[in-house]
Amino acid sequence: MQIRPPPHLSDRTIIRLRGDLAASKVPGIRRRLQRGLARAPNVLEVDLGKVTYLAPDVRGLLLAAAAFARRSGMRFVISRASPTSLRGLDELGIQHLTDLPRPLRP
């Protein structure tokens, strides 16, 4: 028998995104983020390590998810993002809502 904690007690949920994340990908990414947030983990991590392009609409979606996570008492972490993706997210002010891997500005 395998015992798992209820979803609301899970420690960390990781959402791995990859490829060219154009505006057309927003509905699918939104569903993945909603499922991750619904689990109510202590930490929701979005891994951007294999993302080649991060459209402005997708960046806005990540910002909204980070704001929701913060209001819900979760930590929101962006991991393995490229410098270009980090700059785009920084322009939106996401660093105030999330734990980024490093400071974006010196």
Side-chain angles (χ1 to χ4, degrees), residues 48 75-81 85-87 89-90 93-104:
L48 300 178
R75 287 182 54 218
F76 190 88
V77 175
I78 303 245
S79 63
R80 300 185 332 128
S85 293
L86 286 175
R87 274 192 301 279
L89 291 166
D90 182 38
I94 201 170
Q95 69 275 18
H96 300 292
L97 298 171
T98 186
D99 298 313
L100 288 167
R102 60 182 170 76
L104 298 180

Side-chain angles (χ1 to χ4, degrees), residues 20-73:
D20 185 351
L21 301 184
S24 62
K25 305 282 179 141
V26 166
I29 296 168
R30 180 180 292 119
R31 282 190 297 275
R32 292 184 68 191
L33 289 169
Q34 287 172 335
R35 282 193 304 263
L37 290 164
R39 294 189 70 216
N42 292 325
V43 178
L44 179 65
E45 177 181 342
V46 178
D47 181 342
L48 300 178
K50 294 187 178 183
V51 170
T52 55
Y53 173 70
L54 194 60
D57 291 351
V58 176
R59 285 181 278 183
L61 184 59
L62 292 173
L63 179 69
F68 180 86
R70 183 172 203 151
R71 285 191 308 271
S72 301

